[in-house]
Amino acid sequence: MINNIENVVYTGKTRTTGGRKGAARSDDGRLAIELSPPGSNGPGTNPEQLFGAGWSACFLGAIGKAAQAGKIALPTDAAVEAEVDLGLTGDAYFLAARLNVSLPGVDRDVARSLVETAHQICPYSKASRGNIDVEINLA
């Protein structure tokens, strides 16, 4: 089921040239990066790292929203580490991901509840649900 957006809050616009050996730039000039294939020694980053950075930032924001709703204080060193795998099955490429969440000092049951709520409200989690293997770990 596709959900239709009723009110667009923001639209990020980028232009990429050269594919995995190219460059990406945002229309506002705030993003300007070189791209290189995963595992290479080339300059820049790759789509898997960018996806991981975007998802982990969004997921940590969703944890913050869940904490705010529950009147729970998050530690200043709360973090989400994303690991995004690019793999092959036969000759088809697929992604898999792990989100490793660190909420030091937060009761484990409370932390688990925050993570579960975040996974339901994070737009990246919604986009990936049912499309890629996702594992969420609580440190």
Side-chain angles (χ1 to χ4, degrees):
M1 178 175 106
I2 295 177
N3 292 313
N4 294 320
I5 295 175
E6 293 178 4
N7 180 28
V8 174
V9 176
Y10 173 77
T11 300
K13 296 180 183 180
T14 59
R15 183 171 193 265
T16 301
T17 57
R20 287 183 175 270
K21 294 181 184 178
R25 308 275 184 270
S26 62
D27 67 330
D28 62 6
R30 297 181 72 190
L31 175 72
I33 57 171
E34 299 302 313
L35 300 168
S36 58
S40 76
N41 291 326
T45 186
N46 58 64
E48 291 72 29
Q49 289 173 331
L50 292 168
F51 183 63
W55 193 356
S56 59
C58 185
F59 199 83
L60 190 54
I63 290 171
K65 288 279 190 192
Q68 183 180 29
K71 298 186 184 339
I72 299 163
L74 285 183
T76 57
D77 56 348
V80 177
E81 294 179 4
E83 300 174 7
V84 178
D85 300 324
L86 172 65
L88 283 168
T89 299
D91 61 353
Y93 286 95
F94 293 94
L95 295 176
R98 287 165 303 289
L99 298 178
N100 302 308
V101 180
S102 175
L103 300 173
V106 177
D107 175 82
R108 189 144 184 93
D109 290 337
V110 171
R112 174 59 55 202
S113 177
L114 292 173
V115 166
E116 289 172 0
T117 300
H119 193 47
Q120 295 306 308
I121 64 175
C122 173
Y124 281 73
S125 292
K126 290 177 185 178
S128 64
R129 189 171 292 114
N131 295 310
I132 67 172
D133 286 333
V134 177
E135 181 181 314
I136 300 177
N137 303 302
L138 185 57

